[in-house]
Amino acid sequence: MDTALKNGDFLLGPNGRPKQISGEQELLQRAAIRLKIPLGSFVYDPQLGSRLHELKADGSGLNEKAFTMAQEALRSLPQITVESAACTGNPPCAVVIRLCCGAEKSEIEVKL
C-alpha cells in the first residue's frame, strides 16, 4: 500500500487525509516515478530512474530509443508492460509513454 501522488503532492481522499492506493494503481505510480526521475539522481537508490532525459533531437528513431529506455527503467517491475513511447514537440520536449498493468492502463508524460 502506498500514498497516492498527484502533481508532486499527496492526493487527498474524501476525508481530507492522504488517499491510499494498492495493487495495479500502486504499480503504475511506481512506474511513473521511475520514468520521471533521471537515472542516478536519487542518492538512496542510484539504480532508480530512467535515461529518457538523455534523448537528443538529432538522428532518427527517437520513439524506438524512448521505448527501449522506458523498458529499461521498468525492468524491476515485471508486472508493467510498455505499450508505446512517442516523442512530442519539435524539437522533442516530452515523451508520452503508454503503460499497461493487468486491466489498468496509464499514459505518462516525461518532460525532457
Side-chain angles (χ1 to χ4, degrees), residues 66-80:
F67 184 83
T68 301
M69 289 176 171
Q71 286 181 315
E72 180 183 283
L74 301 178
R75 194 175 302 139
S76 64
L77 296 173
Q79 308 90 328
I80 304 283

Side-chain angles (χ1 to χ4, degrees), residues 72-112:
E72 180 183 283
L74 301 178
R75 194 175 302 139
S76 64
L77 296 173
Q79 308 90 328
I80 304 283
T81 303
V82 179
E83 292 186 334
S84 67
C87 296
T88 61
N90 191 13
C93 56
V95 178
V96 177
I97 301 162
R98 291 180 185 215
L99 303 175
C100 180
C101 180
E104 292 281 327
K105 293 194 183 275
S106 180
E107 197 170 87
I108 297 165
E109 181 179 71
V110 178
K111 296 191 188 303
L112 303 177

Side-chain angles (χ1 to χ4, degrees), residues 28-45:
L28 287 168
Q29 178 171 286
R30 287 181 183 181
I33 291 168
R34 280 173 169 72
L35 291 169
K36 291 181 179 186
I37 295 175
L39 182 64
S41 66
F42 187 59
V43 70
Y44 298 108
D45 185 357

